C-alpha cells in the first residue's frame, strides 16, 4: 500500500489500485465474469483496471467495485484516493515538454519503468541509461540522430535525465542492478572529458543505495550476454517483463519461457561479473586512461 498517495505518481497509483482491487475480488471469491455482470461493464474494462492500464480511473468505478467486494470504509477511501490522483495529476512523460520527444511505443515502457520495483539490465555498448550523465546522453543522441535540431536533442536528453529520478523518488525508489561489459569503460563517447566525467559519475553511483553495478571483464571470456543487451523489469505482484531494443525499434515480452531465459542469463552474468570493489577498481583504472 502507498503510504502517501498524493505524493505518488499516477502510474504507481494505477498499479497499486489494480493490485488491491484484484486482491479484494479474490478475497470475495468472485470471478471476473461475476463482477462485470454486477458492474455492467465489459470484461476488458475490469482487466485494464486490475492491471493498471487505464490512464485515468474514475473514482465512481472504484466505489462501485468496493461496494461489490464489501470493502471496509478505510480501504474504500484509500482506493478512491488512488483513483483521484489519476484524475488530477499526469505522469511526467504526458506533459507538453516531453511528449514530442517520446515515441508512442516508448510511453508504454516508461509506464512500466515508473511502476517497477526493480530493473535488471545488461549493457554491452554503453553506460545504462539510468546511470548516464547529461553530456554522455547528448553525445549518444547527437550521433544517433544526426540532423535533428538542437531543441529536439534537448528534449530527448531531458527525457533520459527525468527517468533517472525513479532512483530517487520518495515512494518506493526503483532498485537498479546493472551489469556492463568492460568495453563500455573504454569506448570514448563525446570525447575524453565527457567520458572521464561519465566514469566518475559511474564510480559515485556504485555507492548509491538504489544501485548495484558489476562489470564483466574481458578475461571472463564468453558469457550469456553475448547475444545482446536486455532489460528485466520486476513489477509488484506481476510477471516480470523483458524489454529489448534494436535499430528497428523496441519490443516487450511477458511470455514465461522468454522471461525465464533472460532471468537465467542475468543470474549467469551476476556470477561471472566482478563484485563492487573490483568494479570500482576497474572504473578508476579506466578514468586514468581517458
Amino acid at each position: 500500500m502507498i503510504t502517501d498517495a498524493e505524493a505518488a505518481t499516477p502510474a504507481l497509483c494505477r498499479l497499486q489500485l489494480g493490485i488491491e482491487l484484484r486482491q479484494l475480488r479474490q478475497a470475495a471469491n468472485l470471478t471476473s465474469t461475476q463482477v462485470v455482470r454486477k458492474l455492467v461493464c465489459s470484461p476488458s474494462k475490469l482487466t485494464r483496471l486490475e492491471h493498471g492500464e487505464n490512464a485515468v480511473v474514475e473514482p465512481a468505478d472504484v466505489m462501485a467495485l468496493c461496494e461489490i467486494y464489501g470493502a471496509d470504509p478505510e480501504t474504500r477511501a484509500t482506493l478512491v484516493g488512488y483513483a483521484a490522483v489519476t484524475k488530477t495529476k499526469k505522469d511526467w512523460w504526458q506533459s507538453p515538454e516531453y511528449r514530442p520527444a517520446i515515441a508512442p511505443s516508448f510511453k508504454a515502457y516508461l509506464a512500466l519503468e515508473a511502476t517497477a520495483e526493480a530493473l535488471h539490465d545488461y549493457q554491452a555498448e554503453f553506460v545504462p541509461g539510468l546511470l548516464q550523465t547529461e553530456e554522455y546522453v547528448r553525445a549518444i543522441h547527437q550521433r544517433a540522430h544526426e540532423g535533428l535540431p538542437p531543441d529536439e536533442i534537448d528534449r530527448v536528453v531531458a527525457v533520459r535525465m527525468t527517468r533517472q529520478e525513479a532512483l530517487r523518488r520518495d515512494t518506493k525508489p526503483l532498485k537498479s542492478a546493472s551489469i556492463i561489459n568492460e568495453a563500455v569503460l573504454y569506448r570514448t563517447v563525446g570525447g575524453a572529458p565527457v567520458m572521464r566525467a561519465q566514469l566518475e559519475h559511474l564510480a559515485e553511483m556504485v555507492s548509491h543505495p538504489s544501485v548495484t553495478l558489476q562489470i564483466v571483464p574481458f578475461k571472463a571470456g564468453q558469457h550469456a550476454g553475448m547475444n545482446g543487451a536486455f532489460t528485466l523489469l520486476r513489477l509488484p505482484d506481476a510477471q516480470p517483463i523483458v524489454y529489448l531494443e534494436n535499430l528497428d525499434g523496441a519490443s516487450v515480452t511477458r511470455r514465461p519461457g522468454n522471461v525465464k531465459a533472460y532471468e537465467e542469463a542475468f543470474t549467469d552474468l551476476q556470477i561471472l561479473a566482478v563484485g563492487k570493489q573490483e568494479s570500482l577498481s576497474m572504473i578508476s583504472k579506466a578514468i586514468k586512461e581517458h
Side-chain angles (χ1 to χ4, degrees):
M1 182 174 290
I2 301 171
T3 55
D4 185 0
E6 291 185 1
T9 64
L12 190 57
C13 285
R14 287 195 302 270
L15 181 68
Q16 190 65 36
L17 176 61
I19 290 171
E20 295 192 33
L21 285 175
R22 184 164 65 252
Q23 290 174 342
L24 284 172
R25 175 175 61 78
Q26 292 169 344
N29 291 316
L30 292 171
T31 66
S32 297
T33 301
Q34 290 171 320
V35 173
V36 297
R37 286 174 182 168
K38 290 176 179 288
L39 193 61
V40 191
C41 71
S42 66
S44 62
K45 179 176 181 176
L46 183 63
T47 299
R48 290 195 304 272
L49 280 171
E50 290 191 353
H51 287 85
E53 295 175 352
N54 287 343
V56 174
V57 180
E58 294 295 335
D61 289 337
V62 175
M63 283 294 293
L65 286 169
C66 285
E67 183 69 26
I68 292 170
Y69 301 149
D72 61 69
E74 183 179 354
T75 299
R76 295 186 191 204
T78 298
L79 300 191
V80 169
Y82 294 159
V85 170
T86 73
K87 293 274 288 184
T88 58
K89 294 171 66 176
K90 286 188 176 181
D91 293 302
W92 64 264
W93 56 87
Q94 300 289 354
S95 69
E97 176 186 359
Y98 299 111
R99 195 181 302 127
I102 303 174
S105 59
F106 194 54
K107 288 179 183 177
Y109 172 79
L110 290 175
L112 293 170
E113 186 178 80
T115 55
E117 292 180 325
L119 180 153
H120 295 172
D121 66 340
Y122 168 72
Q123 296 295 342
E125 296 295 331
F126 50 78
V127 171
L130 296 181
L131 306 179
Q132 294 174 357
T133 64
E134 183 173 338
E135 290 309 312
Y136 186 93
V137 176
R138 189 177 302 279
I140 287 175
H141 286 288
Q142 284 174 336
R143 176 64 181 85
H145 305 288
E146 289 183 349
L148 201 65
D151 61 330
E152 292 296 322
I153 292 289
D154 288 343
R155 286 196 184 97
V156 173
V157 172
V159 168
R160 177 62 54 83
M161 302 314 293
T162 302
R163 284 175 55 200
Q164 296 180 4
E165 293 178 8
L167 298 173
R168 301 182 291 273
R169 63 193 180 206
D170 294 331
T171 304
K172 297 182 178 179
L174 179 67
K175 297 295 184 182
S176 170
S178 294
I179 300 174
I180 62 175
N181 184 3
E182 184 178 356
V184 172
L185 304 180
Y186 293 96
R187 188 177 303 286
T188 304
V189 174
V194 169
M195 192 63 202
R196 198 157 43 241
Q198 172 62 76
L199 291 172
E200 289 170 350
H201 176 68
L202 206 58
E204 292 174 2
M205 292 302 290
V206 170
S207 299
H208 191 285
S210 294
V211 173
T212 301
L213 176 67
Q214 293 178 265
I215 298 169
V216 178
F218 292 138
K219 64 183 180 182
Q222 66 273 20
H223 57 78
M226 294 180 73
N227 287 325
F230 61 89
T231 299
L232 273 164
L233 290 171
R234 298 191 178 280
L235 307 171
D237 197 34
Q239 172 76 20
I241 292 170
V242 176
Y243 175 76
L244 304 169
E245 277 186 349
N246 54 46
L247 285 175
D248 292 330
S251 63
V252 172
T253 179
R254 298 173 185 259
R255 293 178 61 183
N258 292 347
V259 171
K260 183 179 179 183
Y262 282 100
E263 287 180 321
E264 290 175 349
F266 192 80
T267 298
D268 288 346
L269 286 164
Q270 283 180 306
I271 295 169
L272 196 62
V274 298
K276 177 179 177 179
Q277 292 307 316
E278 193 169 346
S279 293
L280 272 172
S281 296
M282 292 177 69
I283 294 170
S284 297
K285 180 183 176 185
I287 291 172
K288 295 175 183 177
E289 297 188 21
H290 278 285

